[in-house]
Amino acid sequence: MQVTEINTCCEPVLDAALSEEGAAELAVAFKVLSDPVRLRLLSLIACAPDGELCACDLPALVDRKQPTVSHHLSILADAGLVVREQRGRWAWFRVAPQRLAVLRDALGG
Amino acid sequence: MQVTEINTCCEPVLDAALSEEGAAELAVAFKVLSDPVRLRLLSLIACAPDGELCACDLPALVDRKQPTVSHHLSILADAGLVVREQRGRWAWFRVAPQRLAVLRDALGG
DNA sequence: GAGTGATATCGATGAACGTCGATACCAAAT
DNA sequence: ATTTGGTATCGACGTTCATCGATATCACTC
């Protein structure tokens, strides 16, 4: 059975064999979620009263220094899991739910 | 790691803020899925004709040496994503779908 | 018991990553 | 223009991890 020709990138893990390229892309996406600080940032932003949170509050909330939080927020934004919006000096973040849905579907949604 | 442990702690990322402990456990689970070889092993096993696959076939299928495949299979088994069954000299693997469902739900299912 | 073959473990190596101090960048205020 | 303060980037350090050769373990066969 020649697996690599059957699928494109993001088929459910349980329903179809992944190609090498698809597995590589999925792995990158899951790696973004494989850090506890990033998971907490994501859930904090998602649970914020107005669906958005100022970056200035996050270092205290996750108990990490500002460069570390900025680094993780960049990774989340580059992965398309959160959206960054600059307002004056402050950076506000909200979640981009479609991206999470892609990963959820990959797990056999 | 036990299934009951992860069930009690992992609230959906989009619906409730994660505790530090919950985030740590979820991160460990997602880290297992953050490697392309493990994702391919998982999908290959899931797509096997009888729902199970012999470990002897996997090094060729994922293009890695036998110690590497054995290492990844142990990680998948320890995470409860795959079940190992010894038959004579051969080790057979099948997926444990409940575990994937837990992760899927954590993404806001 | 000796031999064969499948799988797991060990040890080493190189790469990737989280963290943070120092610093640069940028927008607003005075 | 200068200062203030929030954010991003840089550089370094220690840790984690994927990979694989060598070796050990185990089950079956003869």
Side-chain angles (χ1 to χ4, degrees), chain B residues 60-83:
Chain B
L61 287 172
V62 300
D63 195 29
R64 292 294 188 284
K65 302 300 178 184
Q66 179 269 329
T68 301
V69 171
S70 178
H71 173 237
H72 286 306
L73 287 172
S74 292
I75 292 177
L76 287 170
D78 290 346
L81 291 170
V82 148
V83 176

Side-chain angles (χ1 to χ4, degrees), chain A:
Chain A
M1 150 173 108
Q2 188 52 261
V3 180
T4 46
E5 294 173 358
I6 295 180
N7 318 77
T8 54
C9 76
C10 290
E11 306 265 341
V13 174
L14 285 177
D15 294 347
L18 287 165
S19 66
E20 292 185 28
E21 299 79 16
E25 287 190 29
L26 249 190
V28 168
F30 280 125
K31 185 167 294 181
V32 176
L33 297 178
S34 73
D35 181 88
V37 174
R38 286 196 288 272
L39 284 177
R40 290 208 70 206
L41 290 172
L42 194 58
S43 66
L44 285 168
I45 294 170
C47 298
D50 298 320
E52 59 183 5
L53 215 49
C54 178
C56 59
D57 294 325
L58 291 171
L61 288 172
V62 300
D63 195 31
R64 292 295 187 285
K65 301 300 179 184
Q66 180 269 329
T68 301
V69 171
S70 178
H71 174 236
H72 286 305
L73 287 172
S74 292
I75 292 177
L76 287 170
D78 290 346
L81 292 170
V82 298
V83 177
R84 182 183 179 280
E85 181 189 351
Q86 189 81 22
R87 295 185 200 158
R89 279 194 288 246
W90 293 271
W92 290 80
F93 289 85
R94 61 174 61 247
V95 296
Q98 324 137 350
R99 194 67 190 185
L100 277 178
V102 170
L103 296 179
R104 185 171 58 241
D105 293 345
L107 294 180

Side-chain angles (χ1 to χ4, degrees), chain B residues 35-103:
Chain B
D35 181 90
V37 173
R38 284 195 290 270
L39 285 176
R40 290 207 71 206
L41 290 172
L42 194 57
S43 66
L44 285 168
I45 294 170
C47 298
D50 297 321
E52 59 184 4
L53 215 49
C54 178
C56 58
D57 295 325
L58 291 170
L61 287 172
V62 300
D63 195 29
R64 292 294 188 284
K65 302 300 178 184
Q66 179 269 329
T68 301
V69 171
S70 178
H71 173 237
H72 286 306
L73 287 172
S74 292
I75 292 177
L76 287 170
D78 290 346
L81 291 170
V82 148
V83 176
R84 182 182 180 281
E85 182 190 351
Q86 190 80 23
R87 295 186 200 156
R89 281 194 286 248
W90 293 273
W92 291 80
F93 289 86
R94 58 176 61 248
V95 295
Q98 327 90 308
R99 206 48 185 273
L100 279 176
V102 171
L103 296 178

